[in-house]
Amino acid sequence: MTAVMLLMISLAFMAVSTNQVKIPPHEEVARMARFVVNQCDWTSMATISSHEPVKAQPFSNTFSISDGQLGHGTGIPYMYLTHMEISVQDLQVNPQASLSVSLAQTHFCKHKGYDPQSPLCARVILSGSVLEVNDTEADFAKKALFSRHPEMIDWPVDHNWFFAKMEISQVWVLDYFGGVKMVSPEDYYKATPF
């Protein structure tokens, strides 16, 4: 598949946006979490550093993600990684990480006049382990990521890219006043965000 074809697919998937899609009510926390993860194209991933001089300290880095087509996500954040990347080296020592995504990445918060730190600008933190995926799941991850990030198809092959996902152990949601709310992985995956 050429980069031009993937770009066309990507643009078709992006036709659904937070300007056109009804955002779940803040009382439906699991739905909101699924919605935010689906709408966001990137995450800040925090690992435990394995590198001096910050060894054993939190280390945050940006990664592209996709859980599938906009409006039809699985809730599973997939990533395209290389062992050459410093955070991926951290994951080889300790696969535990957290991913932070926010509707500030979309047009929603700016359109509403919400500061990214406002509780009304919904954000989600996923805790768990980042693991490589294989076979059928890797095929799905490839379609999910390349459709939303078409330049990935042309990234250097000598970097030995692989597909990975976060195996979620906890979901934290801040989407309204009153503090963060927790969602179990079971409730998160059962929720229908759209």
Side-chain angles (χ1 to χ4, degrees), residues 63-188:
F63 290 89
S64 298
I65 59 168
S66 176
D67 77 333
Q69 296 178 20
L70 283 172
H72 302 284
T74 62
I76 301 169
Y78 290 103
M79 294 171 272
Y80 196 39
L81 304 176
T82 173
H83 292 292
M84 298 172 74
E85 212 290 320
I86 191 167
S87 295
V88 177
Q89 293 168 12
D90 294 342
L91 293 171
Q92 289 179 279
V93 175
N94 180 350
Q96 294 180 322
S98 64
L99 304 181
S100 181
V101 292
S102 168
L103 286 184
Q105 298 175 29
T106 70
H107 297 292
F108 174 76
C109 295
K110 189 172 188 176
H111 176 74
K112 293 282 192 178
Y114 299 152
D115 186 86
Q117 195 171 331
S118 167
L120 299 175
C121 185
R123 58 187 173 270
V124 175
I125 301 170
L126 305 173
S127 299
S129 297
V130 177
L131 309 170
E132 185 171 354
V133 297
N134 296 307
D135 305 324
T136 304
E137 191 169 13
D139 290 340
F140 178 84
K142 180 178 181 178
K143 289 175 188 165
L145 283 158
F146 286 14
S147 66
R148 289 176 67 170
H149 306 281
E151 78 172 61
M152 286 179 170
I153 196 169
D154 294 322
W155 287 0
V157 293
D158 63 350
H159 284 41
N160 297 313
W161 298 95
F162 64 95
F163 296 98
K165 69 176 178 182
M166 171 164 271
E167 190 170 274
I168 298 169
S169 60
Q170 190 62 54
V171 180
W172 307 75
V173 180
L174 184 62
D175 65 345
Y176 199 70
F177 303 106
V180 70
K181 297 166 256 182
M182 292 192 298
V183 176
S184 71
E186 296 77 21
D187 289 342
Y188 172 78

Side-chain angles (χ1 to χ4, degrees), residues 1-9 146 150 153-154:
M1 195 176 289
T2 69
V4 173
M5 289 172 65
L6 284 171
L7 179 59
M8 289 173 30
I9 292 168
F146 286 14
I153 196 169
D154 294 322

Side-chain angles (χ1 to χ4, degrees), residues 34-61:
R34 286 285 304 276
F35 178 83
V36 173
V37 169
N38 178 254
Q39 294 295 298
C40 293
D41 287 329
W42 58 272
T43 186
S44 176
M45 178 167 66
T47 57
I48 302 301
S49 179
S50 59
H51 300 276
E52 296 295 347
V54 293
K55 191 172 184 175
Q57 295 180 32
F59 187 82
S60 183
N61 205 345

